[in-house]
Amino acid sequence: MGAIRHPAPVRGDRVRSMAILFALLGVSLGGCAGGDFGRTRGDFVNDDMHRWIGIEATGSVGARASDFQLTDDERSLRDMAYPLIEPPRSRQAWKTVFGDYQPIAAPWRQSPPFDRTAYGKMLVDEPHRSHASRYAALNEDIRNDLTRFEPFKFTAMRVVEMDRKRAAALKYISDLSPRERADAIGRMEENALIIQWVQQCLHRRASSYRWALERLVIMAPDTVAADADRLIAELEVQAANLAIPAGPAKGHVLVSKG
C-alpha cells in the first residue's frame, strides 16, 4: 500500500483566517478612537479640530473668543500650531493615530510651571541601544521643530497682514454693530495669542533641548554634540525672529524651573 497522503492546507482557508484576524484587530484598535463600529469620532477629526487653540488662548487671559468662522489661513495657523505647542515625545506614535488627542493649556495659565528638565530626563530614561541613539533622537526632534516652524511662520505672516487690513477696515465699515466689532477684535487677539504661544513654546523647547544636550555631553561625550548645539542655536534664532503682533499677553513673563 502506498503512503497515506494528508490533504494539503487549503489556501482559501488561510486567507479567510487572516481576514478574520485583521478584522478583529481593526475593531479593537478602532475602539481606541472612541467612535461607533470602529469609526473615528466626528468630534475628533474635522476641519476645525484645532479651533479650540484660539478659544483657549483668549480664555487664558480673560478675553472673549470670536464667533467669526475661521479663514483658510487662520485654520492652517491653528493646525500648524498644534505640533509646535505639544511637548516633544509627549505621546507614542500609535496614540497619535488612535485617538489620544488632548487639548493643551495655554502657557499663561499652565500649572505646574514649565520644567525644562522634563524632556532631558525622559530622553535619558527611555530605553536606547546606545548614547548615539539618544543623540540621534535629540537631533531628530530639533529638526522636526525647524521643519514644522517654516510653514507656520509663513502662514503667521499672512494672518498678521490680514489682521492689519481687518483693523484698518473697522474705521470704514458702515453700521458696524458692537457684536461685529467685538468679534473682529477678538479674532485679531486670538491670532496674536496663538503666534505668541508658539514662540513661547519654541523658546521652551530650545531650553529643554539645551539641558538635555548638556546631560548627554557629560554622560557620553560625542562629536555629534556639535550638530545638536548648532540646531538648537538655529531654533533659538528662529523663535526670536518670529514677528509677534501686539496682543493682550504681549510681554508675559515665562516661568520655568530646573
Side-chain angles (χ1 to χ4, degrees):
M1 296 179 61
I4 299 177
R5 295 185 178 179
H6 296 283
V10 179
R11 184 176 181 274
D13 291 340
R14 291 202 304 271
V15 172
R16 282 191 292 272
S17 298
M18 292 297 291
I20 293 172
L21 176 62
F22 283 118
L24 291 174
L25 180 61
V27 170
S28 63
L29 291 176
C32 298
D36 295 333
F37 306 106
R39 292 192 297 266
T40 303
R41 293 195 311 266
D43 61 347
F44 176 68
V45 178
N46 57 70
D47 287 344
D48 287 342
M49 66 179 293
H50 292 122
R51 185 187 181 100
W52 64 266
I53 294 177
I55 299 172
E56 166 62 19
T58 50
S60 69
V61 296
R64 174 186 168 275
S66 173
D67 288 332
F68 284 167
Q69 289 186 345
L70 296 174
T71 68
D72 290 342
D73 281 338
E74 288 171 340
R75 185 177 294 109
S76 294
L77 183 79
R78 287 149 179 78
D79 291 342
M80 294 176 182
Y82 186 79
L84 291 170
I85 66 177
E86 184 183 39
R89 298 187 180 268
S90 60
R91 291 184 291 164
Q92 298 176 11
W94 68 270
K95 288 185 177 181
T96 302
V97 175
F98 292 113
D100 187 37
Y101 177 92
Q102 297 291 335
I104 301 168
W108 304 286
R109 64 175 171 192
Q110 282 185 7
S111 180
F114 165 64
D115 181 4
R116 70 187 292 256
T117 71
Y119 170 84
K121 290 175 180 176
M122 178 181 60
L123 188 67
V124 170
D125 292 341
E126 279 184 346
H128 284 269
R129 295 180 61 183
S130 66
H131 287 293
S133 62
R134 288 186 172 89
Y135 278 108
L138 174 62
N139 285 344
E140 179 184 14
D141 288 340
I142 306 170
R143 287 193 181 95
N144 285 341
D145 286 347
L146 289 168
T147 300
R148 295 182 183 115
F149 176 74
E150 196 65 24
F152 173 84
K153 179 180 178 180
F154 286 120
T155 300
M157 292 170 60
R158 289 198 299 268
V159 169
V160 168
E161 181 59 29
M162 176 186 66
D163 280 343
R164 288 196 185 105
K165 296 176 181 177
R166 177 182 279 149
L170 286 176
K171 297 180 292 185
Y172 303 104
I173 302 299
S174 59
D175 300 325
L176 185 68
S177 70
R179 183 60 180 269
E180 289 174 323
R181 173 177 289 277
D183 280 333
I185 294 173
R187 177 51 50 80
M188 290 186 287
E189 289 181 344
E190 273 185 59
N191 294 334
L193 284 168
I194 290 170
I195 297 171
Q196 292 175 34
W197 186 348
V198 169
Q199 186 188 48
Q200 288 206 26
C201 286
L202 289 177
H203 284 305
R204 290 181 173 189
R205 286 173 184 253
S207 178
S208 295
Y209 294 147
R210 181 75 62 190
W211 191 93
L213 176 61
E214 290 169 351
R215 269 63 203 172
L216 287 178
V217 167
I218 61 175
M219 291 172 62
D222 196 296
T223 55
V224 297
D227 294 332
D229 182 70
R230 176 182 55 79
L231 290 171
I232 294 170
E234 183 178 351
L235 186 64
E236 291 170 336
V237 169
Q238 293 284 8
N241 291 338
L242 180 61
I244 301 295
K250 184 68 172 176
H252 178 80
V253 177
L254 190 64
V255 179
S256 64
K257 65 177 182 177

